[in-house]
Amino acid sequence: MAQGVLIIVMLLFAATVSAIFFKKIKFPYTIGLVLVGIGLSLVCDRSGLNVSNIKLTPDLILYILLPALIFEAAVNMDTRSLVKNLVPSLVLAAPGLVIATVITGVAVFYLTPLEIGGAMLFGALISATDPVAVIGLFKEMGAPKRLTMLVDSESLFNDATAIVMFSIVMEIIKTGKPITLGACMGGAKEFAIVFLAGLLIGAAIGFIMTFIISFAGNDPLVQVTLTSIVAYTAFIISDKLGFSGVMSVVGAGLVISYYGKAHMSVEVKEYLGQFWEFASFVANSFIFLLLGFTEDLLLLKPSQGSSSDWFMYIAWAILAVLVARAVVVFGICPILGKLRKADKIEWRYQLIMFWGGLRGAVPMALVLSLPHDFKHRNLLVVLTLGIVLFTLLVQGTTVKRIMGWLKLDIIDPFTSGATVVARLLAGQKGLERINALSVAEEFSPQSVESLREKYNQKVEERTLALKELRNSPNFDRMTVSRNLWTECLSIMRTSYNYLHGRGLLSASTYRNFLSVSEQHFDIVASTNYLPEYTRWEGLQFRLEKRFTSLLIKIIPSRKLTHIFLNRILTHDIEKSFTIHYGTAQVLKMIKGSQEMYTLYPDLLQDCSDYFEKLNKISTEHIDRLKKHHNKELDSAVCNLLQRMVYDAEITEMEYLVINGIIPDVVGDSLIEELQEKIKKIKWS
């Protein structure tokens, strides 16, 4: 036991040190870990140390490491962007993987000693992509958001597809049935059931846990623990029921991402993200590091039962996999672009999706799960390991250069403007903090004044840089417009996060505003401005309003009607208050940005007119509500007012704790007491 724990600690230490080193030299750490694992295996072998127990196993990957990786990807997925790209992601991950399976299987059947069953099994397990290294590279280079989403979401779904396909082919081989059209149709039906049932089970578990999370308060330890339970429970239950455990984890993760996070404070959401990033780092570290120890490194030790022809078989298998991937990407993407209301996937994206289709944990788990007496098992293991190493060490290390050739690493003017604005705002916030600290006796006036002069100069330089950028030929009118509207919408979304984090905005209304916010960002990204009228309500509340109006006409005296009416009124008062608060922050920003838009002052005026009108509409809406539903509004308004008063008390308590006026233990206790009072105030 002690030896096993020591090995885990040493491997984790090696992975951590390697990650630091590879980050310094700007090399993908997951790919580097494969090299480190191979090196450690060779050193241990030459030193006479027994490393036969240090290897990847199917249970380790499928039941411990994979759920963490899948859940981390799902819970941090931009659900709205995923929905927008759902069709290409699912088509590439399901029909695309089936096509790749058939092409790869037929090719290796003719080019290697594998029989048709084993060849199709190999095609199924090797077709699942693992873009961990590529996604990390995308983030580093600032790759287009849609390209990142397409690569990441395809991998999220095709892990499940590959596992289900592998299971179906394995069942056909065990039963000895011939691979006929009828068998394929039956397999397709079984695949659909396993795939969709797993997704629904995971979503149901996610909803149940979201309900439990809502009662946990802002306790990061409890809430993060609950998400961990969700990830593994969803996988195990679906797997035991014979459905897709991976799709179950995906469903649970997406539900927690969309609904569960609305019940968490900003601090808890940050904590949640950091925890799952850590879990993903540990899982990836073990997977890629242990690749070097897997199956006694058959590729590097041909004397141990391997054939001199195996390297040729690996070359043929690599060619088959690349051809299959090319057919899927370059064959399906153009067809998808011709669908109605579909966004075309440009050829540069297609090329990166083709070359960035790396292989990793899932193929290794599946091939190692084969029985030891399975025919040609050693050859299947060697082919899989060879392709995994090729995609990581060859494709993974050249993607960055190809992206440079395709100019996918060039920052567009909009992003450049956003970067300069961010730096300017950060500098201004730093200057505000310096002014606030200037009254503190702990800091000498000379030190404060020196730092103030430094930051004044920094803010002036960044202000000048922003002016020059906005007056440059590359920063045309449309780019300025998009930059300005995006900044305004960002302030509105920051307001939603702030009000929800302080307990002044209910979870349902908060989700509504986030959904509307994403729609507005999409409109600005495509048109560079917001139309004069845009909805500030989501579909859910529009339907509830219509349903309530219908109930009032049919059964005006029923209690159920009044419950719905109270909910709608509460939402309306929340919505109007939130819009009023957010637009006030936007107008404040616009007022302080007059000098930044000397070239296009009309754009600034357009934004100002839009948000002034929105501010006025929110005020008028409250007045109309008071006129028609004054009695019903009393409760909602009083509840909101009480929340604001409690929030003011919490803010003061936080100030007293930070400045040491009251002990931490006293302040924390009082803050927790006030937060509990806020929770007890009903929203409707």
Side-chain angles (χ1 to χ4, degrees), residues 454-671:
K454 179 181 177 181
Y455 264 78
N456 274 323
Q457 182 180 357
K458 187 179 292 187
V459 169
E460 289 175 6
E461 290 174 353
R462 292 175 180 176
T463 303
L464 181 61
L466 185 58
K467 286 181 180 179
E468 291 176 350
L469 181 64
R470 286 176 173 166
N471 288 305
S472 67
N474 292 331
F475 214 74
D476 58 12
R477 180 184 178 84
M478 301 303 287
T479 306
V480 172
S481 178
R482 182 183 175 191
N483 199 289
L484 176 58
W485 281 103
T486 300
E487 187 175 352
C488 293
L489 292 176
S490 297
I491 292 173
M492 291 294 292
R493 187 158 62 181
T494 300
S495 301
Y496 311 150
N497 291 331
Y498 172 77
L499 293 174
H500 177 253
R502 303 300 299 189
L504 303 177
L505 196 60
S506 66
S508 58
T509 307
Y510 175 62
R511 285 197 305 270
N512 171 73
F513 274 118
L514 289 184
S515 177
V516 171
S517 176
E518 289 300 327
Q519 294 174 24
H520 290 170
F521 274 109
D522 287 345
I523 293 171
V524 169
S526 58
T527 64
N528 300 304
Y529 73 101
L530 268 183
E532 183 177 351
Y533 175 75
T534 48
R535 288 190 181 276
W536 289 81
E537 280 186 317
L539 177 62
Q540 174 187 348
F541 285 103
R542 296 204 303 273
L543 292 175
E544 282 192 11
K545 278 189 174 182
R546 292 182 182 180
F547 181 62
T548 302
S549 300
L550 182 62
L551 281 178
I552 291 173
K553 292 178 182 178
I554 299 174
I555 43 175
S557 62
R558 294 296 179 88
K559 186 177 180 181
L560 181 63
T561 302
H562 293 294
I563 292 174
F564 271 96
L565 179 62
N566 193 34
R567 175 179 170 82
I568 296 303
L569 291 174
T570 302
H571 166 65
D572 277 346
I573 197 71
E574 278 188 275
K575 185 190 77 171
S576 300
F577 166 73
T578 303
I579 291 175
H580 185 82
Y581 176 84
T583 51
Q585 306 306 309
V586 172
L587 292 171
K588 181 180 178 182
M589 181 277 293
I590 291 175
K591 187 177 180 180
S593 302
Q594 302 287 342
E595 298 181 359
M596 295 293 172
Y597 292 90
T598 54
L599 191 62
Y600 303 109
D602 58 314
L603 294 179
L604 198 66
Q605 189 60 47
D606 288 344
C607 276
S608 179
D609 291 343
Y610 180 93
F611 285 98
E612 281 180 357
K613 183 178 180 180
L614 190 59
N615 186 285
K616 184 179 179 181
I617 289 173
S618 66
T619 304
E620 291 174 348
H621 187 63
I622 293 176
D623 292 337
R624 284 197 302 272
L625 290 174
K626 289 179 180 178
K627 184 178 179 180
H628 295 95
H629 303 284
N630 190 48
K631 185 177 179 181
E632 291 88 348
L633 272 179
D634 284 344
S635 176
V637 172
C638 288
N639 287 344
L640 181 60
L641 180 62
Q642 183 62 74
R643 280 192 185 85
M644 295 176 70
V645 173
Y646 281 146
D647 179 63
E649 291 189 51
I650 291 173
T651 302
E652 182 62 21
M653 291 295 178
E654 290 172 343
Y655 172 81
L656 295 175
V657 170
I658 291 172
N659 289 276
I661 299 174
I662 60 175
D664 289 358
V665 63
V666 175
D668 291 343
S669 175
L670 293 174
I671 290 172

Side-chain angles (χ1 to χ4, degrees), residues 365-522:
L366 295 177
V367 77
L368 294 176
S369 68
L370 292 173
H372 284 277
D373 60 350
F374 190 86
K375 192 171 184 180
H376 298 303
R377 181 183 188 274
N378 281 352
L379 178 57
L380 286 168
V381 171
V382 169
L383 292 180
T384 304
L385 184 57
I387 289 175
V388 169
L389 292 177
F390 173 82
T391 60
L392 290 173
L393 302 181
V394 178
Q395 292 177 238
T397 56
T398 54
V399 167
K400 184 175 182 179
R401 185 175 299 177
I402 294 174
M403 289 182 67
W405 289 342
L406 298 175
K407 297 183 179 179
L408 287 172
D409 59 339
I410 296 176
I411 299 177
D412 60 276
F414 168 73
T415 306
S416 300
T419 303
V420 176
V421 168
R423 288 176 176 168
L424 175 60
L425 294 175
Q428 291 173 341
K429 186 61 67 174
L431 192 58
E432 289 179 13
R433 179 61 58 85
I434 292 170
N435 293 331
L437 292 173
S438 62
V439 297
E441 297 180 358
E442 291 84 355
F443 306 103
S444 67
Q446 295 84 359
S447 300
V448 173
E449 191 59 35
S450 174
L451 194 58
R452 181 187 285 120
E453 289 179 4
K454 179 181 177 181
Y455 264 78
N456 274 323
Q457 182 180 357
K458 187 179 292 187
V459 169
E460 289 175 6
E461 290 174 353
R462 292 175 180 176
T463 303
L464 181 61
L466 185 58
K467 286 181 180 179
E468 291 176 350
L469 181 64
R470 286 176 173 166
N471 288 305
S472 67
N474 292 331
F475 214 74
D476 58 12
R477 180 184 178 84
M478 301 303 287
T479 306
V480 172
S481 178
R482 182 183 175 191
N483 199 289
L484 176 58
W485 281 103
T486 300
E487 187 175 352
C488 293
L489 292 176
S490 297
I491 292 173
M492 291 294 292
R493 187 158 62 181
T494 300
S495 301
Y496 311 150
N497 291 331
Y498 172 77
L499 293 174
H500 177 253
R502 303 300 299 189
L504 303 177
L505 196 60
S506 66
S508 58
T509 307
Y510 175 62
R511 285 197 305 270
N512 171 73
F513 274 118
L514 289 184
S515 177
V516 171
S517 176
E518 289 300 327
Q519 294 174 24
H520 290 170
F521 274 109
D522 287 345

Side-chain angles (χ1 to χ4, degrees), residues 21-47:
F21 171 74
F22 289 121
K23 186 176 181 180
K24 291 286 185 182
I25 64 174
K26 296 183 178 180
F27 188 84
Y29 93 93
T30 50
I31 298 173
L33 285 178
V34 177
L35 299 174
V36 171
I38 292 173
L40 288 175
S41 179
L42 290 173
V43 169
C44 292
D45 185 57
R46 298 255 178 113
S47 304

